[in-house]
Amino acid sequence: MKKTVFFGAVSAAALVAGAASATTLEDVKERGKLNCGVTTGLVGFAAPDANGNWEGFDVALCRAVAAAVLGDPNAVEFVPTTGKTRFTSLASGEIDMLARNTTWTFSRDNDLKFEFTGINYYDGQGFMVPKDLGVTSAKELDGATVCIQTGTTTELNLADFFRKNNISYEPVPIETNGEAQQQYLAGACDAYTTDASGLAATRATFETPGDHVILPEIVSKEPLGPLVRHGDNEWGDIVRWTLNALVAAEELGVSSANVGEMSASAGDSPEINRLLGTEGNLGEMLGLENDWAKNAIMAVGNYGEVFEKNIGQNTPIGLARGLNAQWTDGGLLYSPPFR
Amino acid sequence: MTTFTDPQQDGGFRLSMLLNDTRYRGLTFQFIALLLLIGFMAFLGMNLVSNLAAAGLNISYEFLGEPAGYDINQRLIDYTSQSTHFRAAMVGLLNTLLVAVLACLTATVIGVVAGVARLSSNWLVAKVMSLYVEAFRNVPVLIWILIIGTIVQQGPSPRVYLGDDPERGLFLGFFAFTNRGLTAPAPVWLEGSIWVVGVFLASIVGVFLYRRFVRKALYDSGRLYPVFWPSVAILLIPAIVTYFLLGQPIGIDMPDVLANRFNLQGGFEIQRPLIALWLALSVYTGAFIAENVRAGIMAVSKGQTEAAASLGLRPRRIMNLVVLPQALRVIIPPLISNYLNITKNSSLAIAVGYADITATLGGITLNQTGRAIETVLLLMLFYLMISLLISAVMNVYNASVSLKER
């Protein structure tokens, strides 16, 4: 029996690895659908709404890529992945791209053979504690019990932070964000740690968000971005430049409201023209239609719109742009030029 | 006497006999099937290797020697975030064994009690036990782990015990039950404590020797010596005397309520994840064992009970001396598979945050290194080893209780 299971597992691994042969772009076009890996549910980033439609910051990127490649933002099959399953899903070809607030690290890029195609959110790991605990700094957490979601960079940062400050803690490993939230609220841990954006998103779903504070310390750099498999550069470029197109669109003042008008005919700005395909043949170079960026922007809006709609100040999550503002506004968003 | 000889076979073995001769045909087909099987496996293996190579990946266990980088809450051996991934796997393996052993013991106790009680002539007891067995047997173990995990999470926050003037004092001055686990005083082993422990262990041996003496005296001379109180005396008095003679070499480390503002420090802590998993596995598997025990008891012919009763044995004695020893022969084989199930089900530990080997090696290590095939193969190897070990030990025990044919 054991043996059968063993060989079953090996053969499954072998067969799945055998599937990814044609280029990803051909596969997606033939399928007519983009398989996009997202979280199992993190409000604001990727979660199904009341009608079962996926919504969120990461979801918007999936839809933008689908719109650019297939011309239809709804031609996406969302595959919920946990921190544990996401890389296997991508490596095996089950999903074409992963947009699941995944931190870009050296070893993931090189050892796991993935390609990060950009950064859609500059994040950092923070701590959330109940307000009545009276903790104002993460350095006061000596001896605390801390809930962590497993399978992330979080647990390594956490170990490093406590070791560096020479204080102790009790980690409680949790499989998903939902369970972590439940354990934290039940008081099974004093603090919950994950990326600051995730903390804000989690807190927004609490009954009384005001009873919980996010501590000021950001203990790590967490550049979150979409990733694809190594070795298919054409597909990697499509995902990379779709993200860049959304960022550049905000910088150039193109939004979902005016993109239709602006793309009707060539305007005064050459870069906008090239971006929207009314001038030059950038889309062709990418292996797509010339209106690829127009479709993407029309579907989800520019980066700023996506941010404000899903996680911005006016949403329950209430994140400020901070590092995620355009470079012209003092942030880190800086799209290479479209030429 | 007449002897018969086979008719002379001429020519001996011919190749066509491999197909035509029933003596060889079966072997021929088995050989062909074996070749096909090996070929299929080789194809899968080659496919795996070539696809991994195409993806630029390889099979390598070098990561086991690298620092793990993460912390583990429950550890039986020294471990820090700077220890290696292999060490982390060992911590997980020991945690798996710990919860498996604890759960096997309690599940057996629960199972035997419930199994016997289900056959009780007391209507209420029998029905309550039926309810227990049916409820636990027919709901998946993961659900029970989650339910019990939630139940043990309902304790007070440890903060109620903390501070100079706590809301709540330690239970009996020693224990604290919180939503993080159970804290109790821990023994501190000072110089000379080894003697006390040694004497105590010797006392345990002494108790067994005394019981053997009592039994022998009963069979030889028919005299029945008291058993219980002398056993208690043999067990405790020498150790207590040594303890005071050596000047109390064992201290206690009380849970410290002032160490920090979050948790009790010091003492001995059984953490909530372990309690939750232990309880869940015990009561779940206990229900299966109860059915085995019931089946075993019912397999003992009623005549045995009646014969024992007619000799004047009381019901408890009948159960212990006549029924259970015979029932064990039926109970042990399925019990082995229940023990294996406990061990394998313990891999659901992460549901309540317990760091077993699936959570460390197959969880965090797998994620941090991305070596999915390697870690899963290792995991399978570990579980296979544990399971075979349990089977081997239990089979030896089974052989010792099985029917001896003389």
Side-chain angles (χ1 to χ4, degrees), chain B residues 75-153:
Chain B
R75 44 194 182 258
L76 296 174
I77 50 176
D78 281 337
Y79 173 85
T80 67
S81 61
Q82 293 310 294
S83 306
T84 61
H85 280 295
F86 183 73
R87 188 93 180 159
M90 285 302 116
V91 172
L93 181 65
L94 288 174
N95 283 346
T96 295
L97 288 175
L98 173 72
V99 75
V101 168
L102 288 175
C104 284
L105 291 175
T106 41
T108 311
V109 173
I110 293 173
V112 170
V113 170
V116 171
R118 203 178 167 185
L119 290 171
S120 162
S121 51
N122 181 321
W123 183 86
L124 184 65
V125 169
K127 289 300 162 199
V128 167
M129 286 305 151
S130 309
L131 189 70
Y132 157 70
V133 167
E134 296 308 332
F136 277 83
R137 255 187 352 154
N138 295 310
V139 174
V141 64
L142 179 60
I143 311 280
W144 279 117
I145 292 177
L146 291 175
I147 292 174
I148 292 178
T150 312
I151 293 173
V152 297
Q153 204 174 284

Side-chain angles (χ1 to χ4, degrees), chain A residues 156-169:
Chain A
L156 304 192
N157 297 328
L158 185 69
D160 286 352
F161 174 77
F162 279 87
R163 191 158 66 98
K164 199 166 71 187
N165 290 294
N166 201 17
I167 50 181
S168 66
Y169 72 106

Side-chain angles (χ1 to χ4, degrees), chain A residues 6 11 83-84 112-113 133-134 140 142-143 145 151-152 155 159 163 169-171 173 175 183 186-188 190, chain B residues 41 44 56-57 69 71 73 82 153 159 179-180 260-263 271-272 350 353 364 367-370 377 380:
Chain A
F6 168 79
S11 61
K84 217 162 156 175
L112 299 190
K113 310 289 178 200
L133 213 52
E140 295 169 26
D142 190 8
T145 304
T152 60
E155 54 227 337
R163 191 158 66 98
Y169 72 106
E170 286 288 334
E175 183 92 49
Q183 299 245 349
D190 298 304
Chain B
M41 292 301 165
L44 289 179
L57 296 169
D71 286 296
N73 51 0
Q82 293 310 294
Q153 204 174 284
R159 288 195 286 281
N179 56 11
R180 315 257 163 94
N260 69 50
R261 56 209 277 205
F262 303 106
N263 284 308
Q271 292 183 338
R272 177 186 57 86
I350 190 65
I364 307 179
N367 270 300
Q368 299 303 349
T369 62
L377 284 176
M380 284 161 52

Side-chain angles (χ1 to χ4, degrees), chain A residues 208-227:
Chain A
T208 51
D211 291 350
H212 303 269
V213 286
I214 295 174
L215 298 178
E217 278 89 353
I218 296 293
V219 301
S220 68
K221 286 195 288 187
E222 306 286 341
L224 310 180
L227 56 156

Side-chain angles (χ1 to χ4, degrees), chain B residues 5-14 17 21 23-24:
Chain B
T5 47
D6 285 331
Q8 194 66 40
Q9 298 240 335
D10 54 310
F13 181 77
R14 287 185 313 277
M17 285 164 68
D21 192 320
R23 285 175 298 173
Y24 301 117

Side-chain angles (χ1 to χ4, degrees), chain A residues 29-41:
Chain A
K29 280 186 169 162
E30 190 180 324
R31 206 188 300 130
K33 260 196 172 185
L34 171 75
N35 290 338
C36 192
V38 291
T39 71
T40 49

Side-chain angles (χ1 to χ4, degrees), chain A residues 240-283:
Chain A
R240 173 177 302 116
W241 285 95
T242 307
L243 174 60
N244 284 338
L246 300 187
V247 174
E250 186 189 16
E251 188 187 344
L252 300 170
V254 181
S255 70
S256 58
N258 61 19
V259 66
E261 187 189 326
M262 284 174 126
S263 61
S265 61
D268 303 333
S269 161
E271 185 155 19
I272 295 179
N273 291 346
R274 286 193 293 268
L275 175 66
L276 299 180
T278 50
E279 193 181 313
N281 56 351
L282 294 189

Side-chain angles (χ1 to χ4, degrees), chain A residues 3 15-16 43 73 143 166 245 255 308 313:
Chain A
K3 218 176 222 171
L15 294 175
V16 165
V43 174
N166 201 17
S255 70
E308 289 310 327
Q313 299 278 24

